[in-house]
Amino acid sequence: GGHVIYPRGGKYLTEIGRMRRLDERTFVAMGPQASEQGLALEDKVARGEAVWLVGDAYASGGGWFRVDSKVETRKNEVQPARAKPPDSVLSGEGMSKKNVYLSDFGGPSGTLPIDGLMIPLAGSVDTSVTAYRFGVNADVRRLWFEAGKGVPRSEADLEAALRRERLKVEGVERRSKDKILIAESGRKRKRYVEKKNRVTTNTHMAGTEDGRLMESIMGNVRRGKFQKKHG
């Protein structure tokens, strides 16, 4: 079978369905192609991903393989890098759309090509298998990646998105340069930048003597009136 690297943690498997063996490298779906969820095979697993085929007619009860991803090439030409399956059991956002594969996959018959050989034990009658994949179905993963494309990657991206939608931006803004307060401390000049939208978190102290004292101290700190004392 294919080289499979498992992520950490326990196995989380999703059943793909019962498959009938056509030859040592090909299986097809048994019964209706659509499952109870209305999913075709290509909505359950993608090219290059790992599948676990389980059946009593095989040594060790079956094994892990990859959905075959070999592509058409010129005579004696090696497989290009874009045909290489992912190192993980999952394909991320999928393989290259330029690929023209050698084997059929999915379709009306639910064809599942694998990258290794599944040879039944001598005398076996029922050579069907149950196929599993690691993690959620491929359609859910695609939905996740599509939704993720619109998620801001940084605070700046988030702020820009909020502004485009004319939503209130809760954050810190710098005032213009002429409003920057500069405090003197010996020979060094320190710049103190006033901040808008400052949020007071100690609201439980509002209106109390301690609250007024704290606000007075914080105001002096913002205006640079406190200097380091040397004992």
Side-chain angles (χ1 to χ4, degrees):
H3 177 60
V4 176
I5 298 177
Y6 294 96
R8 296 178 180 178
K11 295 185 180 67
Y12 175 72
L13 301 175
T14 298
E15 182 176 335
I16 297 173
R18 292 287 295 171
M19 311 291 293
R20 177 171 56 86
R21 181 180 180 272
L22 285 185
D23 55 49
E24 64 270 15
R25 291 181 180 270
T26 312
F27 289 80
V28 294
M30 295 177 64
Q33 211 332 225
S35 66
E36 294 179 0
Q37 293 80 23
L39 298 179
L41 181 64
E42 50 269 43
D43 289 326
K44 299 178 183 179
V45 66
R47 288 272 189 182
E49 291 189 327
V51 289
W52 185 31
L53 305 182
V54 181
D56 295 334
Y58 303 90
S60 302
W64 282 94
F65 299 88
R66 294 279 186 173
V67 179
D68 184 62
S69 60
K70 289 188 287 294
V71 300
E72 294 181 358
T73 61
R74 296 176 182 176
K75 187 176 181 180
N76 299 326
E77 187 179 22
V78 298
Q79 288 289 306
R82 56 185 167 82
K84 182 180 180 296
D87 290 330
S88 174
V89 294
L90 305 175
S91 65
E93 297 187 52
M95 302 188 69
S96 173
K97 298 186 183 300
K98 297 180 180 179
N99 289 349
V100 178
Y101 298 100
L102 291 173
S103 57
D104 293 330
F105 171 57
S109 61
T111 303
L112 177 66
I114 58 176
D115 66 346
L117 301 178
M118 275 285 279
I119 301 176
L121 300 171
S124 299
V125 177
D126 183 6
T127 58
S128 62
V129 298
T130 300
Y132 299 87
R133 62 157 294 133
F134 199 98
V136 297
N137 283 326
D139 66 325
V140 177
R141 288 181 56 77
R142 284 194 293 268
L143 178 62
W144 173 265
F145 281 111
E146 285 299 319
K149 291 178 181 179
V151 176
R153 302 296 182 181
S154 66
E155 291 187 8
D157 292 341
L158 174 60
E159 184 172 327
L162 291 173
R163 291 187 184 284
R164 284 196 301 270
E165 299 299 327
R166 298 182 179 180
L167 298 174
K168 184 178 181 181
V169 178
E170 293 291 346
V172 176
E173 297 179 355
R174 293 184 181 272
R175 293 189 178 184
S176 58
K177 292 183 179 180
D178 60 332
K179 292 186 178 180
I180 294 178
L181 304 180
I182 300 177
E184 295 289 343
S185 178
R187 294 182 179 179
K188 297 181 179 179
R189 294 172 63 84
K190 296 183 178 180
R191 293 161 60 88
Y192 295 89
V193 181
E194 286 192 344
K195 298 177 179 180
K196 291 183 178 181
N197 302 326
R198 184 181 296 276
V199 179
T200 302
T201 57
N202 298 309
T203 55
H204 62 287
M205 300 179 67
T208 67
E209 186 65 28
D210 289 340
R212 287 189 289 271
L213 176 60
M214 182 179 67
E215 183 59 33
S216 175
I217 293 172
M218 293 306 297
N220 288 331
V221 170
R222 288 194 292 270
R223 290 187 291 272
K225 289 188 176 182
F226 281 96
Q227 299 182 10
K228 184 177 181 181
K229 293 184 179 180
H230 301 276

